[in-house]
């Protein structure tokens, strides 16, 4: 997937400025595609040049003017082509997992500290996703929203993010428990 597809997908619901896009990216798309704000601004410029988004200038009295971007018909066609292409299987590239691979040869306390931090981060994301899902769903049950909701795509991606972060948290907690049990067993020998 190219950054352009992630930006186009983020712009589907509303017209956004580069700043608003960066904020929206942080809350949604960044959970499955990371990009720095400067990368987003550069991509918006390329997308506009390629005719996949259109921008309009908004004059503001008390702040600098801003440009708002929307997806064009060509941008929608680009997304349609992207969704029709075969998705590559995802893979994990994570420094912490490599560190845990070396657990038998390093100080487990260092790993436990890093795993504890990662578990807390994952729990914060679980809480964030739970709140986002509640807001998207409103008063509807999940089943009702999934069947009749206006835009199910962001909800489904948020569900994936929630499952991913729960898995991260659970793995970290289990790994911490195993390392502590092994450390305690060594101490009693």
């Amino acid at each position: 997937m190219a950054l352009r597809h992630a930006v186009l997908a983020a712009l589907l619901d509303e017209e956004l400025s580069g700043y608003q896009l960066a904020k929206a990216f942080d809350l949604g798309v960044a959970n499955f595609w990371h990009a720095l704000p400067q990368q987003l601004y550069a991509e918006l410029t390329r997308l506009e040049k390629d005719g996949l988004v259109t921008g309009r200038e908004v004059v503001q009295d008390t702040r600098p003017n801003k440009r708002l971007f929307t997806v064009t018909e060509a941008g929608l066609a680009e997304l349609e082509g992207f969704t029709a292409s075969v998705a590559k299987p995802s893979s994990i590239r994570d420094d912490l997992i490599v560190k845990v691979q070396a657990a038998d040869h390093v100080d487990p306390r260092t790993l436990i500290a890093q795993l504890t931090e990662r578990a807390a981060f994952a729990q914060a994301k679980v809480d964030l996703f739970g709140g986002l899902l509640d807001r998207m769903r409103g008063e509807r049950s999940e089943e009702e929203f999934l069947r009749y909701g206006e835009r199910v795509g962001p909800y489904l991606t948020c569900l994936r993010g929630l499952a991913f972060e729960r898995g991260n948290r659970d793995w970290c907690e289990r790994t911490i428990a195993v390392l502590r049990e092994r450390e305690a067993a060594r101490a009693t020998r």
Side-chain angles (χ1 to χ4, degrees), residues 44 74 87 96 98 102 124 141 149:
L44 280 171
L96 185 55
V98 174
S141 70

Side-chain angles (χ1 to χ4, degrees), residues 47-92:
L47 288 168
E48 188 171 27
K49 181 177 150 272
D50 293 344
L52 302 178
V53 300
T54 185
R56 68 179 179 92
E57 191 85 13
V58 175
V59 177
Q60 302 185 109
D61 292 331
T62 59
R63 291 187 243 169
N65 295 345
K66 66 180 178 181
R67 288 186 58 74
L68 295 176
F69 298 91
T70 57
V71 178
T72 64
E73 289 299 319
L76 289 172
E78 173 74 18
L79 273 175
E80 185 71 32
F82 171 69
T83 59
S85 66
V86 175
K88 297 175 188 166
S90 59
S91 61
I92 299 174

Side-chain angles (χ1 to χ4, degrees), residues 130-142:
L132 288 171
L133 290 166
D134 287 345
R135 280 194 296 284
M136 282 188 251
R137 201 172 46 244
E139 297 298 318
R140 295 178 176 178
S141 70
E142 185 164 87

Side-chain angles (χ1 to χ4, degrees), residues 17-185:
S17 69
Y19 176 78
Q20 291 167 319
L21 175 66
K23 289 291 187 197
F25 228 76
D26 278 347
L27 287 176
V29 181
N31 296 302
F32 51 90
W33 191 266
H34 176 73
L36 298 171
Q38 37 297 28
Q39 292 172 302
L40 295 174
Y41 287 108
E43 191 61 40
L44 280 171
T45 300
R46 283 189 289 276
L47 288 168
E48 188 171 27
K49 181 177 150 272
D50 293 344
L52 302 178
V53 300
T54 185
R56 68 179 179 92
E57 191 85 13
V58 175
V59 177
Q60 302 185 109
D61 292 331
T62 59
R63 291 187 243 169
N65 295 345
K66 66 180 178 181
R67 288 186 58 74
L68 295 176
F69 298 91
T70 57
V71 178
T72 64
E73 289 299 319
L76 289 172
E78 173 74 18
L79 273 175
E80 185 71 32
F82 171 69
T83 59
S85 66
V86 175
K88 297 175 188 166
S90 59
S91 61
I92 299 174
R93 287 184 56 176
D94 188 331
D95 292 349
L96 185 55
I97 294 174
V98 174
K99 292 175 183 184
V100 170
Q101 174 74 24
D104 300 311
H105 303 281
V106 299
D107 184 352
R109 292 171 297 185
T110 303
L111 292 175
I112 289 169
Q114 291 181 30
L115 288 159
T116 301
E117 184 178 322
R118 178 74 62 87
F121 177 80
Q123 182 59 53
K125 296 285 274 199
V126 164
D127 296 341
L128 173 71
F129 286 131
L132 288 171
L133 290 166
D134 287 345
R135 280 194 296 284
M136 282 188 251
R137 201 172 46 244
E139 297 298 318
R140 295 178 176 178
S141 70
E142 185 164 87
E143 293 75 23
E144 183 181 1
F145 181 84
L146 290 172
R147 189 169 292 120
Y148 304 112
E150 294 75 36
R151 286 263 295 127
V152 73
Y155 194 88
L156 292 171
T157 57
C158 196
L159 281 176
R160 177 62 183 114
L162 178 64
F164 178 78
E165 292 301 345
R166 281 180 175 158
N168 282 336
R169 178 201 60 206
D170 295 348
W171 176 78
C172 287
E173 290 173 352
R174 176 69 177 129
T175 304
I176 290 166
V178 167
L179 292 175
R180 284 184 174 149
E181 288 168 11
R182 290 174 61 84
E183 202 172 14

